[in-house]
PDB file of all heavy atoms in Angstrom:
ATOM      1  N   SER E  32      35.340 178.305  27.778  1.00 86.00           N
ATOM      2  CA  SER E  32      35.916 179.572  28.237  1.00 86.00           C
ATOM      3  C   SER E  32      36.017 179.567  29.752  1.00 86.00           C
ATOM      4  O   SER E  32      35.507 178.672  30.435  1.00 86.00           O
ATOM      5  CB  SER E  32      35.035 180.737  27.784  1.00 86.00           C
ATOM      6  OG  SER E  32      33.768 180.670  28.439  1.00 86.00           O
ATOM      7  N   ARG E  33      36.672 180.591  30.303  1.00 88.00           N
ATOM      8  CA  ARG E  33      36.755 180.708  31.759  1.00 88.00           C
ATOM      9  C   ARG E  33      35.365 180.870  32.368  1.00 88.00           C
ATOM     10  O   ARG E  33      35.068 180.330  33.425  1.00 88.00           O
ATOM     11  CB  ARG E  33      37.650 181.889  32.138  1.00 88.00           C
ATOM     12  CG  ARG E  33      39.126 181.670  31.820  1.00 88.00           C
ATOM     13  CD  ARG E  33      39.687 180.541  32.671  1.00 88.00           C
ATOM     14  NE  ARG E  33      41.049 180.211  32.306  1.00 88.00           N
ATOM     15  CZ  ARG E  33      42.124 180.812  32.803  1.00 88.00           C
ATOM     16  NH1 ARG E  33      41.978 181.794  33.678  1.00 88.00           N
ATOM     17  NH2 ARG E  33      43.329 180.438  32.428  1.00 88.00           N
ATOM     18  N   VAL E  34      34.527 181.659  31.694  1.00 91.00           N
ATOM     19  CA  VAL E  34      33.140 181.827  32.164  1.00 91.00           C
ATOM     20  C   VAL E  34      32.414 180.489  32.109  1.00 91.00           C
ATOM     21  O   VAL E  34      31.710 180.099  33.044  1.00 91.00           O
ATOM     22  CB  VAL E  34      32.403 182.886  31.330  1.00 91.00           C
ATOM     23  CG1 VAL E  34      30.926 182.935  31.721  1.00 91.00           C
ATOM     24  CG2 VAL E  34      33.051 184.256  31.509  1.00 91.00           C
ATOM     25  N   GLY E  35      32.602 179.774  31.003  1.00 92.00           N
ATOM     26  CA  GLY E  35      31.983 178.469  30.868  1.00 92.00           C
ATOM     27  C   GLY E  35      32.476 177.480  31.913  1.00 92.00           C
ATOM     28  O   GLY E  35      31.702 176.665  32.428  1.00 92.00           O
ATOM     29  N   GLN E  36      33.752 177.576  32.239  1.00 94.00           N
ATOM     30  CA  GLN E  36      34.312 176.711  33.271  1.00 94.00           C
ATOM     31  C   GLN E  36      33.581 176.909  34.596  1.00 94.00           C
ATOM     32  O   GLN E  36      33.189 175.944  35.269  1.00 94.00           O
ATOM     33  CB  GLN E  36      35.803 177.014  33.439  1.00 94.00           C
ATOM     34  CG  GLN E  36      36.525 176.118  34.442  1.00 94.00           C
ATOM     35  CD  GLN E  36      37.932 176.598  34.703  1.00 94.00           C
ATOM     36  OE1 GLN E  36      38.172 177.794  34.913  1.00 94.00           O
ATOM     37  NE2 GLN E  36      38.900 175.678  34.691  1.00 94.00           N
ATOM     38  N   ASP E  37      33.358 178.159  34.979  1.00 95.00           N
ATOM     39  CA  ASP E  37      32.620 178.455  36.215  1.00 95.00           C
ATOM     40  C   ASP E  37      31.208 177.889  36.156  1.00 95.00           C
ATOM     41  O   ASP E  37      30.705 177.329  37.138  1.00 95.00           O
ATOM     42  CB  ASP E  37      32.556 179.968  36.443  1.00 95.00           C
ATOM     43  CG  ASP E  37      33.900 180.562  36.853  1.00 95.00           C
ATOM     44  OD1 ASP E  37      34.727 179.809  37.408  1.00 95.00           O
ATOM     45  OD2 ASP E  37      34.111 181.756  36.612  1.00 95.00           O
ATOM     46  N   GLU E  38      30.573 178.036  35.006  1.00 95.00           N
ATOM     47  CA  GLU E  38      29.197 177.563  34.868  1.00 95.00           C
ATOM     48  C   GLU E  38      29.108 176.047  35.024  1.00 95.00           C
ATOM     49  O   GLU E  38      28.199 175.526  35.690  1.00 95.00           O
ATOM     50  CB  GLU E  38      28.633 177.989  33.510  1.00 95.00           C
ATOM     51  CG  GLU E  38      28.415 179.492  33.390  1.00 95.00           C
ATOM     52  CD  GLU E  38      28.000 179.916  31.997  1.00 95.00           C
ATOM     53  OE1 GLU E  38      28.033 179.049  31.081  1.00 95.00           O
ATOM     54  OE2 GLU E  38      27.648 181.096  31.806  1.00 95.00           O
ATOM     55  N   TYR E  39      30.055 175.321  34.431  1.00 95.00           N
ATOM     56  CA  TYR E  39      30.031 173.868  34.555  1.00 95.00           C
ATOM     57  C   TYR E  39      30.375 173.428  35.981  1.00 95.00           C
ATOM     58  O   TYR E  39      29.832 172.432  36.476  1.00 95.00           O
ATOM     59  CB  TYR E  39      30.986 173.227  33.541  1.00 95.00           C
ATOM     60  CG  TYR E  39      30.464 173.326  32.123  1.00 95.00           C
ATOM     61  CD1 TYR E  39      31.128 174.091  31.168  1.00 95.00           C
ATOM     62  CD2 TYR E  39      29.310 172.661  31.745  1.00 95.00           C
ATOM     63  CE1 TYR E  39      30.642 174.200  29.874  1.00 95.00           C
ATOM     64  CE2 TYR E  39      28.812 172.755  30.459  1.00 95.00           C
ATOM     65  CZ  TYR E  39      29.485 173.529  29.529  1.00 95.00           C
ATOM     66  OH  TYR E  39      28.994 173.632  28.249  1.00 95.00           O
ATOM     67  N   TYR E  40      31.262 174.158  36.634  1.00 96.00           N
ATOM     68  CA  TYR E  40      31.557 173.869  38.043  1.00 96.00           C
ATOM     69  C   TYR E  40      30.300 173.986  38.897  1.00 96.00           C
ATOM     70  O   TYR E  40      30.066 173.192  39.811  1.00 96.00           O
ATOM     71  CB  TYR E  40      32.623 174.836  38.559  1.00 96.00           C
ATOM     72  CG  TYR E  40      34.018 174.250  38.635  1.00 96.00           C
ATOM     73  CD1 TYR E  40      34.778 174.092  37.486  1.00 96.00           C
ATOM     74  CD2 TYR E  40      34.574 173.858  39.845  1.00 96.00           C
ATOM     75  CE1 TYR E  40      36.057 173.557  37.538  1.00 96.00           C
ATOM     76  CE2 TYR E  40      35.849 173.319  39.910  1.00 96.00           C
ATOM     77  CZ  TYR E  40      36.592 173.171  38.761  1.00 96.00           C
ATOM     78  OH  TYR E  40      37.857 172.627  38.823  1.00 96.00           O
ATOM     79  N   GLN E  41      29.493 174.991  38.621  1.00 96.00           N
ATOM     80  CA  GLN E  41      28.309 175.252  39.432  1.00 96.00           C
ATOM     81  C   GLN E  41      27.150 174.316  39.115  1.00 96.00           C
ATOM     82  O   GLN E  41      26.256 174.121  39.930  1.00 96.00           O
ATOM     83  CB  GLN E  41      27.867 176.709  39.239  1.00 96.00           C
ATOM     84  CG  GLN E  41      28.865 177.719  39.786  1.00 96.00           C
ATOM     85  CD  GLN E  41      28.585 179.140  39.324  1.00 96.00           C
ATOM     86  OE1 GLN E  41      27.517 179.424  38.782  1.00 96.00           O
ATOM     87  NE2 GLN E  41      29.553 180.032  39.517  1.00 96.00           N
ATOM     88  N   LYS E  42      27.176 173.733  37.913  1.00 95.00           N
ATOM     89  CA  LYS E  42      26.076 172.856  37.514  1.00 95.00           C
ATOM     90  C   LYS E  42      25.937 171.644  38.421  1.00 95.00           C
ATOM     91  O   LYS E  42      24.838 171.248  38.802  1.00 95.00           O
ATOM     92  CB  LYS E  42      26.285 172.380  36.071  1.00 95.00           C
ATOM     93  CG  LYS E  42      25.621 173.243  35.021  1.00 95.00           C
ATOM     94  CD  LYS E  42      25.715 172.541  33.684  1.00 95.00           C
ATOM     95  CE  LYS E  42      24.867 173.261  32.650  1.00 95.00           C
ATOM     96  NZ  LYS E  42      24.839 172.531  31.375  1.00 95.00           N
ATOM     97  N   ASN E  43      27.079 171.022  38.714  1.00 96.00           N
ATOM     98  CA  ASN E  43      27.053 169.780  39.470  1.00 96.00           C
ATOM     99  C   ASN E  43      28.449 169.527  40.037  1.00 96.00           C
ATOM    100  O   ASN E  43      29.446 169.752  39.342  1.00 96.00           O
ATOM    101  CB  ASN E  43      26.631 168.614  38.563  1.00 96.00           C
ATOM    102  CG  ASN E  43      26.279 167.363  39.329  1.00 96.00           C
ATOM    103  OD1 ASN E  43      27.077 166.829  40.092  1.00 96.00           O
ATOM    104  ND2 ASN E  43      25.068 166.871  39.120  1.00 96.00           N
ATOM    105  N   ASN E  44      28.515 169.058  41.272  1.00 97.00           N
ATOM    106  CA  ASN E  44      29.812 168.773  41.890  1.00 97.00           C
ATOM    107  C   ASN E  44      30.570 167.660  41.176  1.00 97.00           C
ATOM    108  O   ASN E  44      31.772 167.481  41.412  1.00 97.00           O
ATOM    109  CB  ASN E  44      29.627 168.394  43.363  1.00 97.00           C
ATOM    110  CG  ASN E  44      29.217 169.579  44.215  1.00 97.00           C
ATOM    111  OD1 ASN E  44      29.497 170.725  43.877  1.00 97.00           O
ATOM    112  ND2 ASN E  44      28.547 169.306  45.329  1.00 97.00           N
TER     113      ASN E  44
END
Side-chain angles (χ1 to χ4, degrees):
S32 66
R33 291 295 174 87
V34 173
Q36 183 188 46
D37 288 335
E38 291 174 352
Y39 288 114
Y40 259 77
Q41 294 167 13
K42 268 189 171 185
N43 193 303
N44 289 335

